[in-house]
Amino acid sequence: MKHNSNIKSMKLYNHVDRIYNELKELGKINSEFLFVEELTNFDQLHYCGTKAVDFSINKIGIDSSMCILEIGSGIGGPARYIANKTGATVIALELQSDQNNIALDLTERCGLSKKVKHVCGDFLTYDWEGKKFDAIVSWLALYHIFEHKILLQKCFDLAKPGGFFYAEDLFSRKPFSKKELSKLLKEIYANYLPDVQTYKSEIEKIGFNLLFCQDMSFEWTKFTRNRYLSYNKQKDRHLRVHGRDIYNSINSFYT
Ligand SMILES: C[S@@+](CC[C@H](N)C(=O)[O-])C[C@H]1O[C@@H](n2cnc3c(N)ncnc32)[C@H](O)[C@@H]1O
């Protein structure tokens, strides 16, 4: 059953322009040039920041000859980081237009518009007009998409022969009750949470050769706990920089 809900119920996706408060804090109040490194503390909307992106760069062997598709690119953090570090071309697809507009602005200010192309659209319906990619990558976006088999088939069809599919995603470690699922839907817009065996077998059934799979539960639990503690420790600073609405919203999301 497809759930009738709204992605904006996930508090991370409210006040997405809060990154400009951080830039103001850095003294960047106009449209001046930005370095990718100045943004990475704020533009990586997944676990473990650029360390996670570096892992994928090394695992896939991304280099300047490659064209990479990122599904669910948010405000463009991973896409800019990959392009800046490797010289690869990155097509960054994002569903939400407010995030995509911010991504466009930040990428332009980093001087990366030739290497990172931001596209606003739904991966399930977007028409790539026959284009193929060396790698399709994604951080914490795929569990939002209920139609997982269609998603995997599209990924398979969009990969060049010998191309890669790399996803950091969520799975269920135990069956959830209806009440828990409804809370997960509201808080993190979780539409697809199979167990890990199902997740792996679906990838293989589509035709991918599964090269690597790692359970990140321990690291991600540690990361999210520290993120919450650190955000709380800096409550006064965040209230000053962002105001009460944003503080309450992000604090509640991190909880
Ligand atoms: C947790 S964010 C991660 C953003 C980015 N990958 C990062 O790590 O900074 C996941 C993103 O996936 C996007 N998304 C969800 N469903 C999508 C779809 N069907 N097509 C494109 N993007 C989608 C959401 O709008 C959201 O911005």
Side-chain angles (χ1 to χ4, degrees), residues 7 13 43-46 70 72-74 78 93-96 99 121-123 139-141 144-145:
I7 198 164
Y13 302 147
D43 68 359
Q44 307 288 317
L45 303 184
H46 57 266
E70 188 195 356
S73 45
L93 177 75
E94 171 51 46
L95 181 68
Q96 300 178 61
Q99 294 208 70
D122 182 341
F123 181 66
W139 285 269
L140 293 187
H144 286 322
I145 302 173

Side-chain angles (χ1 to χ4, degrees), residues 173-191:
R173 297 171 77 195
K174 62 165 185 81
F176 289 115
S177 68
K178 262 191 171 172
K179 202 173 157 197
E180 286 169 327
L181 283 172
S182 129
K183 189 154 194 234
L184 287 164
L185 178 67
K186 178 169 178 281
E187 299 296 337
I188 60 167
Y189 198 60
N191 278 299

